[in-house]
Amino acid sequence: MDFDKVIERRGTHCMKWDMMEHMYGVPSDEGIAMWVADMDFLPPEAARSALQSLVGHGIYGYYGDDRDYRKAICWWMDSRHGWNVEPEWIHTVHGLVNGTALCIDAFSSPGDGIVLFTPVYHAFARVIRAAGRRIVECPLEIRNERYAMNFANYDALMSGEERLAILCSPHNPGGTVWSRDELREVAEFCERHDLVLVSDEIHHDLVLPGRSHTPMPLAVPSIANRLVMMTATTKSFNIAGAHCGNVIIQDEALRKTFARKITALGISPNSFGMFLAEALYSPEGAAWIDAVVQYIEENCSIFDTSINGIAGLKSMPLDATYLAWVDFSGTGLPPSEFTRRVEQEAKIAVNHGPTFGSGGENFLRFNLATPRSLVERAIERLDRAFKF
C-alpha cells in the first residue's frame, strides 16, 4: 500500500482535479486540489479484483440475491464497530446525499424545519432547500479546540414545526468524534422535540488512532424508534463513484415509511457498488483502513504543526476524517482576501467555510488524503502566501 505514490488524476473526468479551475479559478496545471472529499489513493486491491471479475464475465445485469452483500455489511458493523445489524434493517441508496434526500422526503413535508448543527457538510443544506424545507441552524461552539453543542440554546430555537435533525458523526468539517454523553444529549433533544434523527456516520471508519467513535445505537439504544443510520463503503475505501450507501433502520415503522419512498421513486441499487461493498467489507478492507488512517494521521500531524506555525492560522485538531478545518480569523484579513491568497497565490483549491453554514465564515477546509509530497508542497505555498 504505497500512499506516497502520486497518481495523475487530471484528464480522467475527476471532479476534484478537473473542475478546480472552473470552480475556484485555480489553474489545473499548477494547482493542488484539496477540496472534494475523496482520496488520491488507490483503493484496496479487492476493489479492482471485484471489478475485473465483473468485466471478465462480460454481462452487467441487475443485481440479485443480495444475501452475501447484506452479510458483509453486518459482519463489518459488528467486527469493526461492535454494532449488531440485522440484514432486514438495510436499505441500499445511491450514496448518502441521496439517502439524506430520501429521509427528508420520507419523514417531513414541504415547509417543515430540518435541524442542522452548523457548520456542517454543505450538501445537507443544498438538498433541504431543494426539497422546499426550512433549515434550522443550531450553531456549534468551539470549546477546548473542538466543537461542542449547547442544547439550552437549541431548545429555544425550536418552533414545533421541525420534523428531522441531521447529525454528522464524526463531524465534517471539524473532525470531532462525539462522546457518548454528547450523543445522549442529541437523542434527548430529538425526543423532547419529537424529531426523527438521521445520523450520518459516513466517516466512522476514518477515525484516527487513539480515538474511539461510538455508533448512535450503542450510545443510546432507546433512540431506535426515531433513528435512521447512514454508512457507506464509498468514503471509507475511496470509491465515491460507485454511488452506493447503506440506510440502516432498526424500527419497523420507520423502515416501512422509508421503503415506501424508495418504491414510490422507483429506486433500485447500483450493482457495481454492491459488488464492491461485498468485496471491501472484508479482512483485506480492514487492513487497508488501518494502514490509510495511520498515513492520514501523519499527514495531519505535519499539516497542523506547520499551519499553526503560520501567523494568524489555526487548524482544528482532528479526531476523524481527513479534512483539516483551518481558522483564518487570526490574520485579521476579510474572507475574500485570505481566500484569494490561498487560491490565487498558493494555487490551492479548497472548500469555502461559509458553504458549511453559520460558524464557517472564517474557515477553509483542506483535504489531506493525498500523497505527503503534495501536503508538504501545499504547506510551503501557504507559508509564502501569508508572509506579512
Side-chain angles (χ1 to χ4, degrees):
M1 291 175 276
D2 183 7
F3 301 121
D4 284 322
K5 182 180 179 180
V6 177
I7 300 168
E8 180 59 72
R9 301 185 68 190
R10 287 170 291 197
T12 63
H13 297 284
C14 169
M15 177 180 284
K16 183 178 178 181
W17 288 88
D18 288 336
M19 294 297 290
M20 66 175 167
E21 186 162 9
H22 173 74
M23 295 289 292
Y24 298 103
V26 175
S28 61
D29 56 342
E30 300 178 84
I32 302 175
M34 302 183 84
W35 60 297
V36 173
D38 70 7
M39 307 186 208
D40 291 319
F41 308 137
L42 289 175
E45 182 58 33
R48 186 176 300 187
S49 296
L51 291 177
Q52 286 176 335
S53 177
L54 284 170
V55 170
H57 185 268
I59 298 177
Y60 315 116
Y62 296 112
Y63 191 102
D65 188 4
D66 63 359
R67 286 174 294 180
D68 288 343
Y69 163 79
R70 290 174 182 267
K71 183 179 178 181
I73 295 171
C74 294
W75 176 83
W76 186 266
M77 298 309 161
D78 182 33
S79 65
R80 298 293 291 187
H81 299 285
W83 173 31
N84 180 45
V85 172
E86 296 296 333
E88 63 270 19
W89 298 354
I90 302 167
H91 293 280
T92 302
V93 295
H94 296 290
L96 296 195
V97 175
N98 173 239
T100 302
L102 286 166
C103 288
I104 291 167
D105 207 17
F107 302 117
S108 70
S109 300
D112 286 344
I114 310 294
V115 174
L116 295 180
F117 302 99
T118 57
V120 73
Y121 178 45
H122 45 74
F124 295 157
R126 184 175 73 239
V127 297
I128 291 168
R129 292 191 183 101
R133 274 66 163 175
R134 293 182 300 103
I135 298 170
V136 180
E137 290 189 299
C138 290
L140 297 170
E141 300 175 358
I142 298 177
R143 301 183 207 146
N144 300 319
E145 299 187 310
R146 71 188 292 277
Y147 278 122
M149 303 178 191
N150 187 330
F151 287 96
N153 287 351
Y154 303 161
D155 285 337
L157 295 173
M158 297 298 105
S159 68
E161 297 178 349
E162 296 79 21
R163 297 292 175 264
L164 199 71
I166 302 174
L167 177 70
C168 207
S169 178
H171 183 256
N172 169 17
T176 301
V177 168
W178 307 114
S179 70
R180 283 178 177 260
D181 285 344
E182 287 170 317
L183 295 174
R184 176 181 50 77
E185 288 185 296
V186 172
E188 291 172 352
F189 170 77
C190 291
E191 289 168 352
R192 281 196 301 276
H193 300 284
D194 195 20
L195 305 175
V196 171
L197 174 61
V198 176
S199 188
D200 177 357
E201 305 197 9
I202 196 170
H203 288 102
H204 68 166
D205 291 318
L206 300 169
V207 176
L208 301 186
R211 290 75 159 181
S212 180
H213 164 77
T214 304
M216 178 60 82
L218 298 186
V220 191
S222 62
I223 196 67
N225 67 321
R226 60 177 70 248
L227 177 64
V228 176
M229 290 284 290
M230 298 201 301
T231 68
T233 50
T234 49
K235 196 68 65 184
S236 300
F237 299 105
N238 199 33
I239 56 167
H243 281 285
C244 186
N246 317 309
V247 172
I248 303 173
I249 308 175
Q250 180 176 347
D251 183 78
E252 185 177 5
L254 289 180
R255 197 162 63 241
K256 286 181 176 178
T257 299
F258 189 82
R260 282 196 298 270
K261 184 55 61 179
I262 287 180
T263 301
L265 295 175
I267 293 174
S268 59
N270 175 342
S271 63
F272 292 90
M274 296 176 77
F275 278 110
L276 284 168
E278 183 180 338
L280 292 169
Y281 278 154
S282 64
E284 181 182 339
W288 187 91
I289 288 288
D290 291 341
V292 82
V293 296
Q294 289 281 353
Y295 190 87
I296 289 167
E297 183 184 43
E298 293 172 22
N299 275 1
C300 290
S301 178
I302 292 167
F303 184 85
D304 286 355
T305 299
S306 301
I307 291 301
N308 294 339
I310 300 173
L313 276 59
K314 179 65 177 175
S315 184
M316 184 173 285
L318 285 182
D319 295 326
T321 83
Y322 46 74
L323 304 166
W325 188 232
V326 180
D327 184 358
F328 288 78
S329 61
T331 63
L333 299 171
S336 59
E337 175 58 18
F338 67 67
T339 302
R340 186 196 67 79
R341 292 192 187 199
V342 172
E343 294 177 346
Q344 301 307 310
E345 294 187 24
K347 295 182 174 59
I348 304 171
V350 293
N351 291 104
H352 297 176
T355 64
F356 295 86
S358 296
E361 295 81 5
N362 290 307
F363 286 82
L364 296 174
R365 192 187 76 172
F366 293 75
N367 181 341
L368 303 182
T370 197
R372 191 153 301 139
S373 60
L374 293 183
V375 173
E376 291 169 343
R377 191 182 310 167
I379 290 166
E380 292 170 1
R381 293 184 182 187
L382 289 168
D383 188 50
R384 290 195 300 268
F386 286 89
K387 291 285 188 187
F388 285 94

